[in-house]
Amino acid sequence: MDPNLQFWQSNGQSFLSRLRLWFKFLDPSSVLSSQAEIEQARTLLQNEGHKQRNEKVANAWLLSLSSVHPDTGAVISPVFRSQVFLPISAPLVVASLIPHKGIKPALFWQFLLQAYCAGFNHANRNATATKDNKTSMKQSILIVGTVAYSAFAGALPQIILKRFRLIGAVAETFSRSLLPIPLSACLAAFSVMVVRSEEADNGIRVFDSKGNAVGVSKAAGSKAIKETALSRATLFGTTAAFPTLLLALLKRAKFFQRNPMIIAPVRHVSTAIIFGLMIPVSFSLFPQFGKIKKENLEEEFQSLDGHSELFYHRGL
């Protein structure tokens, strides 16, 4: 039986249980664990993970699940592990949402943010899709294209203001405060859908309730992509929306009217805080091992007896 599936079936059935787990997984200190410590944790789980439940085994699960790719068994690059998603991406998110004075700074920060997000999406995808040199080249081109397009689209509010010489309070409010909200959500979902498109093209592995692989499904791959895209859109859309709403309320207060210099720090701090809080929430929206009904899968799965639902690794 797949041990990861067994773990998530036992501990991650509800949203709150997944949320508690993600708060533990996202501890940045675990990224400092060495390769030897990760291998020791995996060995412990193989030998004792199913036999006993103690603090040592629990810590081994946390380290293994947050550091090792569940499909390939390879250790994920420290830069793209879930534990460092907040420390690395939060400054990029804050910088990308700043009302820049020029187009070049906006493009620069958007490029860094979109490049990191694309790398994170690729490193944490479902990796059971069949690969060859042709597929790898196609995927590389898609990733580069996604980063370039998303960086340009992310800087669109600044481009609109500068290139089209829009003036007036309404136009500036729309471009600087309102447009970034749906734009951030759409670009985050777009990155997931394009970077991980091979899962829908080639399919991902599906399991029965006992963790036995029963085949590869394109329908399950599409469902995994859609769920992850929705969770990422929730993360970035909420992060862009909350500071805007907060500042709209605070600007009415006399204290902020007398001290307008405080507005910028409040925007930056509130963006970082809401982004940090929304990461575990967005990661918990859907189970790591999702369910899909047999009738929604390809024809080859319809002949399976005794399985009304199958499971798939959603990725992150």
Side-chain angles (χ1 to χ4, degrees):
M1 179 175 185
D2 188 302
N4 296 311
L5 174 57
Q6 183 185 36
F7 176 88
W8 285 106
Q9 282 182 329
S10 303
N11 301 279
Q13 291 297 311
S14 68
F15 169 78
L16 290 178
S17 63
R18 294 193 295 271
L19 185 62
R20 285 194 296 267
L21 284 173
W22 275 115
F23 271 112
K24 295 179 181 178
F25 288 148
L26 294 173
D27 178 11
S29 63
S30 62
V31 80
L32 301 176
S33 300
S34 64
Q35 180 85 16
E37 291 174 320
I38 296 173
E39 292 299 331
Q40 288 176 2
R42 297 176 68 182
T43 301
L44 175 64
L45 293 177
Q46 291 173 357
N47 297 332
E48 303 180 21
H50 307 296
K51 300 177 183 179
Q52 57 179 329
R53 300 290 181 185
N54 53 43
E55 185 177 356
K56 188 176 181 180
V57 172
N59 291 334
W61 272 116
L62 293 177
L63 180 58
S64 177
L65 289 172
S66 60
S67 305
V68 179
H69 198 287
D71 297 320
T72 64
V75 176
I76 302 172
S77 170
V79 179
F80 295 122
R81 293 180 196 170
S82 57
Q83 304 99 302
V84 297
F85 185 65
L86 173 61
I88 293 180
S89 58
L92 302 180
V93 170
V94 172
S96 67
L97 292 175
I98 290 176
H100 296 283
K101 294 182 178 180
I103 296 177
K104 290 182 179 180
L107 283 172
F108 173 76
W109 289 110
Q110 281 291 336
F111 174 79
L112 291 182
L113 174 62
Q114 299 302 333
Y116 179 74
C117 287
F120 183 86
N121 294 335
H122 187 261
N124 292 277
R125 71 198 185 285
N126 184 303
T128 60
T130 304
K131 281 193 168 185
D132 52 33
N133 292 334
K134 185 177 180 180
T135 303
S136 299
M137 179 62 69
K138 174 186 174 183
Q139 202 62 26
S140 299
I141 294 174
L142 284 175
I143 292 174
V144 173
T146 299
V147 173
Y149 174 82
S150 298
F152 176 81
L156 194 59
Q158 191 65 38
I159 295 174
I160 291 175
L161 282 173
K162 292 296 181 180
R163 292 301 183 190
F164 294 94
R165 304 295 182 185
L166 291 179
I167 56 175
V170 175
E172 185 169 351
T173 299
F174 173 77
S175 297
R176 292 192 182 279
S177 301
L178 300 181
L179 183 57
I181 297 173
L183 194 59
S184 297
C186 290
L187 289 178
F190 171 77
S191 178
V192 173
M193 296 181 73
V194 177
V195 170
R196 294 180 52 176
S197 60
E198 63 177 345
E199 297 171 37
D201 296 337
N202 301 328
I204 61 175
R205 191 179 298 123
V206 291
F207 307 85
D208 60 21
S209 58
K210 296 181 180 179
N212 301 312
V214 296
V216 174
S217 168
K218 294 181 180 180
S222 297
K223 190 170 184 287
I225 294 172
K226 290 177 183 178
E227 290 176 345
T228 307
L230 180 58
S231 70
R232 205 73 89 245
T234 302
L235 169 61
F236 282 88
T238 304
T239 300
F242 182 82
T244 299
L245 296 175
L246 178 64
L247 290 177
L249 294 174
L250 293 180
K251 285 180 179 179
R252 299 180 180 180
K254 293 182 179 179
F255 176 78
F256 283 88
Q257 292 175 358
R258 292 195 301 264
N259 302 277
M261 297 294 291
I262 301 178
I263 292 178
V266 170
R267 178 193 292 114
H268 305 337
V269 172
S270 62
T271 299
I273 291 176
I274 194 64
F275 184 69
L277 293 175
M278 281 302 299
I279 288 176
V281 172
S282 64
F283 287 177
S284 305
L285 289 179
F286 301 98
Q288 280 305 106
F289 276 83
K291 297 180 182 179
I292 185 169
K293 294 183 178 180
K294 186 174 67 174
E295 55 263 30
N296 295 331
L297 293 171
E298 290 84 346
E299 186 176 349
E300 62 189 270
F301 295 98
Q302 304 308 315
S303 59
L304 292 175
D305 296 327
H307 302 291
S308 60
E309 291 182 328
L310 296 175
F311 298 84
Y312 59 90
H313 172 231
R314 179 174 64 84
L316 187 62

